[in-house]
Amino acid sequence: RLEKMKAYVFPGQGAQFVGMGKDLYENNPLAKEMFEKANEILGFRITDLMFAGTDEDLRQTKVTQPAIFLHSVILAKTLGDQFKPDMTAGHSLGEFSALVAAGALSFEDGLVLVSKRAMAMQKACEQNPSTMAAIIALPDEKVEEICASVDGVVVPANYNCPGQLVVAGLKTTLPDFLSDVAANGGRAVPLNVSGGFPSPFMESASARLHDVLETMDVKEPTVPVYANYTAEPYTKETAKELLTQQVAHPVRWQQTVEKMIEAGVDTFVEVGAGKTLCGLIKKTSRAVKVYNVEDAETLSAAVQAIRAEGENA
């Protein structure tokens, strides 16, 4: 019998909500300590914005990215001994959470990286005002073909699941692209984001990340961490290069999930805000189980369900 394998996965930008992490802060001394340390590192009280800010506060890239990272990583840490992934992965920003959870980056370095990445991306967005849209009901090849044919830059950004490819484009060129999508029978859902990432518009952010990473110590992950850029596991040697490339190249999420299933994963646990990845994983494979953990309540429910599975195996 094949050993049942669990993958822990971490969401990216877009999953944030006001109040995220508040019950952890209030009920878990370790969580409180980590949140306070984060306030210190960032130089502002991100906890005030996370727990009691406005949607607008949370939507600023420099707040959104560290907030999602902190929520996910601190949740994983509060799982304690229950956190036993066979492998991890994260969607875009979530990849940093996955690397910290797997011990490749320290919590402090991960937070500094995410914060600097957010600032660099914000700057890149100001230089190239861009946005994103999810394209539904067209094969990936067709979307790639329309991208290639549009006058102006529109590129694939997230290969999310079968029949859903998110594109990034300059605000000026995206409308033409969307009318071509409609003409081909596809449906486009514009996304509420502050810029088009990951994409070539982020080259300047990529260069900035490269400089920051050079100063950091990256260790061999304790379990395989699958990279967005290649949909293959990281190694200590490739980590810095993969993280630098990540912000300017598409997230191969569907391919990552397929590779993890091929490697023997039958259970995915999404750690962090929302259930976006659970939904994408289900659309990629009906055969796997998915759980989401976003607060104390879902945490104990998932732990019980997984424990029961272990006993029945």
Side-chain angles (χ1 to χ4, degrees), residues 10-57:
F10 298 87
Q13 209 158 333
Q16 66 277 5
F17 61 92
V18 174
M20 60 195 278
K22 187 166 189 269
D23 66 330
L24 283 171
Y25 181 94
E26 289 170 351
N27 299 312
N28 188 298
L30 173 66
K32 182 172 186 173
E33 191 185 314
M34 290 177 78
F35 274 122
E36 286 301 344
K37 179 152 215 184
N39 287 335
E40 215 172 287
I41 291 171
L42 292 171
F44 67 96
R45 290 194 65 78
I46 192 166
T47 46
D48 293 350
L49 301 176
M50 287 172 72
F51 305 161
T54 63
D55 287 339
E56 207 43 57
D57 289 334

Side-chain angles (χ1 to χ4, degrees), residues 132-144:
M132 303 178 81
I135 310 304
I136 317 281
L138 283 181
D140 291 351
E141 300 72 34
K142 190 71 203 165
V143 181
E144 289 163 350

Side-chain angles (χ1 to χ4, degrees), residues 199-280:
S199 71
F201 315 126
M202 296 291 138
E203 283 300 350
S204 63
S206 188
R208 176 81 183 97
L209 263 185
H210 176 266
D211 297 345
V212 179
L213 274 161
E214 282 311 301
T215 66
M216 290 185 172
D217 180 31
V218 179
K219 297 182 173 58
E220 195 65 56
T222 51
V223 295
V225 180
Y226 280 70
N228 287 183
Y229 181 43
T230 55
E232 299 287 349
Y234 270 88
T235 64
K236 184 175 187 268
E237 292 69 43
T238 58
K240 291 184 178 181
E241 179 57 20
L242 289 173
L243 275 179
T244 303
Q245 295 297 340
Q246 190 235 35
V247 67
H249 291 87
V251 173
R252 300 190 175 278
W253 187 251
Q254 179 188 333
Q255 295 85 336
T256 297
V257 171
E258 289 166 348
K259 289 267 172 71
M260 289 173 125
I261 295 170
E262 263 168 48
V265 169
D266 73 339
T267 304
F268 287 85
V269 184
E270 178 172 4
V271 185
K275 298 181 185 176
T276 306
L277 300 183
C278 286
L280 298 179

Side-chain angles (χ1 to χ4, degrees), residues 130-133 147 153-158 166-170 173-174 195-201:
S130 53
T131 186
M132 303 178 81
C147 283
V153 193
V154 179
V155 294
N158 304 327
V166 174
V167 299
L170 293 172
T173 56
L174 203 63
F197 28 73
S199 71
F201 315 126

